[in-house]
Amino acid sequence: RYRETCASALCEAGDVEEGLQRFGAILRSTADTVNTVRLVTPILLANGFLDEGWHRYRSRADFERIVRHFGHLNLQQSLPPQLMGKHICVVCEQGLGDELFFLRYAPRLKALGARITYCASPKLAVMLQRVAALDAVIGDTAAIPPSDMNMLAGDLPSAVNEQEAPAALSVPANP
C-alpha cells in the first residue's frame, strides 16, 4: 500500500510520468493487482492514456457486482472479430450521466456493422429512442432480448477501441 500511495501522490503532485512508472513497477511485481489497477485507471484516463485506461477500467468493482447479480446475462467485455449483422444488447450501468457518456461509443459500434439494442434507465429510454445508432431501446425493467452478446455500457470504450485498432497496452516502464 505504501508504494501505491507514493505513486498516487506523485501523480497528484504533477509528476504523472514518474507516478505511472511506479504503478507499472507495482503491477509487474505482484500478483494482487486489483487495487493497484483501480487506483491507476482514473489517473490514466485523466492524463490522456485512453486506450490503456479504458482497458483497465474493465476491472471496475461495478462490473464484478453486476456479473454476480446478473450472471445469466453472460456479459462480455470484448467484441467478436466480425460484427457485421451481429445483435449486441448493451445494458446501462451507473448513473444517467455515465449512461450518456458511454453511449457516445454507440455510433462507432454501429459503424462496425452491429445491430444495437440498448437497455436504458427509465428516465432516458424515451429520449434515446431517437438516437440513430440504436436499433431498439428498452427499459431496464424489460426482459433482455435474445442477442449474439450482452455487454455493459461501461465496456463500450475499450471494446470499440480494441476492435478498431488493436494495440499493445502497458503502463510506461521504468527507464
Side-chain angles (χ1 to χ4, degrees):
R1 299 277 181 242
Y2 171 76
R3 295 186 322 154
E4 292 168 340
T5 301
C6 289
S8 291
L10 283 165
C11 291
E12 288 179 28
D15 195 350
V16 175
E17 183 177 343
E18 177 66 22
L20 290 177
Q21 287 177 358
R22 291 193 184 198
F23 273 120
I26 295 165
L27 289 168
R28 287 187 299 279
S29 69
T30 180
D32 179 24
T33 61
V34 174
N35 289 325
T36 304
V37 167
R38 289 183 182 156
L39 285 172
V40 76
T41 297
I43 295 167
L44 289 165
L45 292 171
N47 287 281
F49 298 97
L50 301 180
D51 287 343
E52 182 160 1
W54 287 125
H55 178 77
R56 293 192 182 278
Y57 183 74
R58 291 176 169 188
S59 298
R60 65 197 180 280
D62 283 342
F63 181 79
E64 295 165 13
R65 179 186 52 77
I66 292 169
V67 166
R68 278 193 304 273
H69 194 263
F70 297 104
H72 64 284
L73 293 180
N74 191 26
L75 294 165
Q76 303 297 309
Q77 291 186 295
S78 294
L79 296 168
Q82 297 298 321
L83 283 171
M84 191 57 65
K86 296 283 187 191
H87 180 202
I88 299 176
C89 184
V90 179
V91 180
C92 66
E93 63 172 311
Q94 302 176 37
L96 299 177
D98 295 305
E99 196 169 342
L100 293 171
F101 175 85
F102 291 124
L103 277 177
R104 70 182 175 165
Y105 290 87
R108 291 171 54 193
L109 181 60
K110 181 75 170 174
L112 292 168
R115 286 184 311 123
I116 306 169
T117 295
Y118 185 65
C119 179
S121 62
K123 291 181 179 180
L124 294 177
V126 172
M127 179 183 73
L128 293 175
Q129 289 174 350
R130 291 175 261 174
V131 175
L134 303 176
D135 296 291
V137 176
I138 60 173
D140 65 0
T141 57
I144 300 292
S147 62
D148 293 305
M149 69 175 288
N150 298 314
M151 152 176 281
L152 292 176
D155 291 317
L156 285 176
S158 178
V160 171
N161 288 342
E162 286 178 358
Q163 186 75 14
E164 291 176 339
L169 302 172
S170 68
V171 171
N174 286 332

